[in-house]
Amino acid sequence: MSTRRLHPSRRRCGVVLPLVLVGMLLVLTMSLVLQQAAWRASRGARTQWDAQRGLYSADAAVVRAFATWPADSMAATAIGTRVNRSVSEAGGWWTGVSIVRTGPLTAVLHASTHRARDAGALGVGDAGRLGDGTRIQRSVLRVVRLNPPAIPILAAATMLGDVALGAATLDGRDQLRGYDPALDDCGPWRDSASVSAIASVAFTNTAIPVLYGSAITLAAATVAPMRERFDIAFPQISARSRRVALVVSGSVASVARWRATVIQPALGVTVNGDSRYVGLLAFDGDLIVHGALRVDGLLVVRGAIDVSTGTLEVRGALVVRDDSARGSHLGARVRVTYAPCLMGRALAAVAMPTTSPFGVFNIP
C-alpha cells in the first residue's frame, strides 16, 4: 500500500522547473528590450546633441570669418573663385569655411562642420560602451554684402570743388566689355547702366572737352553733405589701407594688384615718372601729375588735382575732395572711363561684411 502511494508524487516533482526557466527567459527578454531601448534613447539623445553642437560650431566659424574678414585678399580673388579654410577641433570634429565673391561687392560664405564615427568606436562620454556608426554634418550659409566706406561717387569724375576743364575725355558709360579679364572679372553679362561724365561745383572750360554723358553742376545744398560723406569715409579708407610714400623717382611704388594704398605727402605729391596702379589709390593731399599715371580701379584725392601737363588715365572712377579749395585742372591728356566692376573690386579691399537685407539687380 505505501509503495503505490509514493509513485504519483515522484512523477510531478519536475513540472515546476520548466515554468521557472520560462519565467527567467521572459524576465531576461524584457531586461534586454528595456536595456536596448534605454541604449537607443541615449544614443539618439547623444546624436541630437552632436547635431546641435555641429550647428553651433558652423555658426561660430561664420562669426570668426566675419571677425577676421580678409578684405584685401578677397578683392584680389576673382569672382567665382573660392577661398577655403579648414579647422580641426577636439573630439574628431572638422570645420571648413568657403568664401566666394559672386559680384564686385557681394559674397557667399559657407561653413560646414562634420564628424564621422565608425561602428564600435569609443566616443567621449559613451562610458566605454560600443555603439553604431554615426555621421554628423551641419552647414550654415550666409549671403554677404561688402560695405565699403560711403565715399560719394556721382559720375565718372566726381569733383567736390571747382575744376578747369580742358580737352579731357570723360566717359560715363560702362563700355569695358572684352576688357582684360584679369582686371574686369564681371565678364560680358553685366549691368549696362551709365552715369554722368563729370559732376563738379563749378566748371571753367579752357578747351572743348569730350564728354560721353552729362556734366552736372552740384547745387550748394548737395555739396555740403557730399563733402561730409567724404570726410567721414576717407579716414576709414586710410585705416584699412597700407600707407606708403612716393618713391624717389617720383612714381607710385609697384604693389600687388587690388591692394588699397594711401600716399600721405607733407604738402602734395608730384608724379613725374610713369606709374600704373591696379586697385584703390588714394592721395592724402594735392596731386600734381607731370608724368603718366594710370589707375585701374578707383583714384581718390583729398586735395586738388592738377593734370595740366601730364597724362592721367583712370578706368573705374575719380573722386576729388579739394579740401583747401585750390581748384583742379584736367588737361587734354586726361581720360576717365567709368567702370563699375573695376571700381567695385577696388572698394572691396576696404569693405566690411554685413548680412543686412539688400537687393542685387542683374541683367542675365
Side-chain angles (χ1 to χ4, degrees):
M1 294 286 295
S2 60
T3 305
R4 292 178 182 176
R5 291 177 182 175
L6 293 175
H7 289 299
S9 61
R10 290 176 181 175
R11 294 192 189 99
R12 292 191 299 269
C13 65
V15 175
V16 179
L17 182 59
L19 298 177
V20 173
L21 293 177
V22 171
M24 293 178 63
L25 288 175
L26 292 175
V27 172
L28 178 61
T29 302
M30 293 176 62
S31 300
L32 291 176
V33 170
L34 293 176
Q35 179 63 34
Q36 185 73 4
W39 195 3
R40 290 297 180 186
S42 176
R43 292 284 298 172
R46 176 59 187 273
T47 300
Q48 291 295 324
W49 167 251
D50 287 345
Q52 197 67 24
R53 183 189 185 282
L55 183 61
Y56 288 156
S57 296
D59 217 8
V62 171
V63 174
R64 287 194 300 268
F66 272 73
T68 59
W69 185 263
D72 53 352
S73 60
M74 287 306 303
T77 305
I79 291 176
T81 303
R82 295 183 179 274
V83 177
N84 297 314
R85 307 178 192 170
S86 61
V87 177
S88 180
E89 303 177 14
W93 292 93
W94 181 90
T95 301
V97 178
S98 172
I99 307 174
V100 55
R101 280 197 314 127
T102 56
L105 290 174
T106 56
V108 173
L109 193 155
H110 178 258
S112 178
T113 298
H114 75 265
R115 187 190 71 173
R117 186 170 61 202
D118 296 334
L122 295 177
V124 178
D126 287 337
R129 288 178 289 188
L130 301 180
D132 298 333
T134 58
R135 178 178 178 86
I136 304 297
Q137 182 170 357
R138 288 294 181 269
S139 298
V140 174
L141 188 69
R142 294 286 186 272
V143 179
V144 180
R145 177 180 181 177
L146 306 182
N147 278 338
I151 192 164
I153 301 175
L154 309 176
T158 303
M159 319 292 290
L160 300 179
D162 299 346
V163 57
L165 193 58
T169 301
L170 305 173
D171 192 348
R173 303 169 298 175
D174 181 11
Q175 295 291 322
L176 289 188
R177 293 174 180 82
Y179 189 60
D180 184 0
L183 303 180
D184 182 17
D185 56 357
C186 286
W189 306 113
R190 56 205 293 154
D191 188 357
S192 58
S194 300
V195 297
S196 300
I198 185 171
S200 178
V201 174
F203 296 95
T204 301
N205 289 336
T206 60
I208 301 176
V210 179
L211 303 181
Y212 296 95
S214 59
I216 300 176
T217 301
L218 299 175
T222 305
V223 174
M226 293 298 103
R227 288 175 175 172
E228 184 178 355
R229 282 179 55 186
F230 186 101
D231 294 339
I232 295 174
F234 194 86
Q236 297 174 355
I237 292 176
S238 182
R240 301 170 189 174
S241 306
R242 46 192 304 275
R243 304 179 69 86
V244 300
L246 208 65
V247 298
V248 178
S249 62
S251 59
V252 179
S254 178
V255 299
R257 291 177 172 180
W258 304 114
R259 299 297 190 265
T261 299
V262 174
I263 298 178
Q264 184 175 16
L267 296 175
V269 171
T270 301
V271 176
N272 292 315
D274 294 341
S275 305
R276 181 177 181 182
Y277 192 89
V278 177
L280 191 157
L281 179 62
F283 290 88
D284 193 3
D286 295 339
L287 172 61
I288 302 172
V289 181
H290 289 320
L293 175 62
R294 174 176 174 177
V295 177
D296 293 279
L298 180 62
L299 176 60
V300 180
V301 182
R302 189 173 65 85
I305 184 171
D306 184 359
V307 199
S308 55
T309 61
T311 300
L312 174 65
E313 182 178 2
V314 178
R315 294 178 182 267
L318 167 66
V319 181
V320 178
R321 167 65 168 87
D322 192 8
D323 59 344
S324 299
R326 293 188 179 91
S328 299
H329 188 96
L330 301 180
R333 290 187 289 176
V334 173
R335 183 177 183 88
V336 180
T337 304
Y338 178 67
C341 288
L342 271 65
M343 177 189 67
R345 189 171 181 180
L347 285 172
V350 293
M352 293 291 102
T354 179
T355 57
S356 60
F358 65 95
V360 175
F361 175 73
N362 182 43
I363 297 178

